[in-house]
Amino acid sequence: MSTRALSDASPTEATPLSLCAREPHVPADRLVAEMVPPPRFDSVRFDTYIPDPNQPSQSDAVKILSGFADGLGGAHASGAGKRRWFSRAPKQTVPAGPRGVYLDGGYGVGKTHLLASLWHATPAEPALKAFGTFVELTNLVGALGFQQTVQTLSGHRLLCIDEFELDDPGDTVLVSSLLARLVEQGVALAATSNTLPGKLGEGRFAAVDFLREIQGLSAHFRPLRIDGEDYRHRGLPEAPAPYSEEAVTKAAYATPGASLDDFPHLLDHLARVHPSRYGALTDDLTAVCLTDVTAVPDQSTALRLVVLADRLYDREIPVLASGLPFDRLFSEEMLKGGYRKKYFRAISRLTALARDAKGLVDQ
């Protein structure tokens, strides 16, 4: 932060927080307890999803998923509410027909909204439903171990997996094996997914490819195509241009609970914090203020930034920044590569959060 920026801050204003000063440790029980829809999706329901009238598949998806939720009312009716931490769960009777649904569509068409709505609509207490990203699920396996994760989740009625990662073959096999065990116990599944490395084209991972990658699980999923454009940019104004360092610093000091960090230093810090802790990294923040935003130097750093962007978006934390605009974070090579969908999602989400931050400079 520049000397001038510091001198502009009033001595009566509180010093901002710093993400770089935080090194959170997240116990395994918190990982389990937090497997619910993120705060941004606390209040979403099927009737709050607004289908595009030009995309009939969106209205169809709402009807199909609503019926799917209704059909889960009888699963695990006996012995409900008990987590199986240290005992083997009895095998359940699996109803005939697909016990899973795969939401097939590009980023920004509302897949997460629909997935969270399915979670809310499923007739079961929250302790018997789990919702998380693929990364959060693999982190849970890392924290509890494979067998304990099976025992913990096997009494659930539904497991929703947002952004099923298909970038790492080892992780894909691990989670596919986990889901196979859960299906044996009668757990229903719902998932969305991202794009494989080197998979170019329409910017989404098609259902036929998803089903091929999860191989033995494919018979348990019903593909549900959802067409449409990125709603975060549909009919919305352009993202605000980056602000000056002085404006960002002043806003950070004027906003209780805001953080203020130099962007390159934050990227270095993210390399020292496991991505499973990025949610805890943002605990109690009201805004994130960044100075000197620059292009991300390499792919490993870029993928960590994607996870942070997801956690900030989930928690609806505004992001105010100076330096480069967010659509220039990733190189042209990155935006043409196998992880392109992740990068476009990060740009889209950070852009939405930048719009949310506009009011911070007007206070």
Side-chain angles (χ1 to χ4, degrees), residues 11 22 32 45 66 75 89 94 99 101 119 157 165 189 211 246 251 280 282 313 333 354 360:
R22 295 183 164 194
V32 176
R45 299 293 187 273
S66 180
V94 182
R99 292 283 293 168
V101 60
W119 187 92
R157 196 165 298 180
E165 301 275 355
L189 308 173
L211 297 176
E246 288 75 15
T282 68
Y313 183 79
E333 181 180 2
L360 299 179

Side-chain angles (χ1 to χ4, degrees), residues 24 53 61 97 143 153 165 281 286 342 348 362:
L153 298 178
E165 301 275 355
L281 194 68
T286 59
K342 289 184 175 182
S348 179
D362 298 331

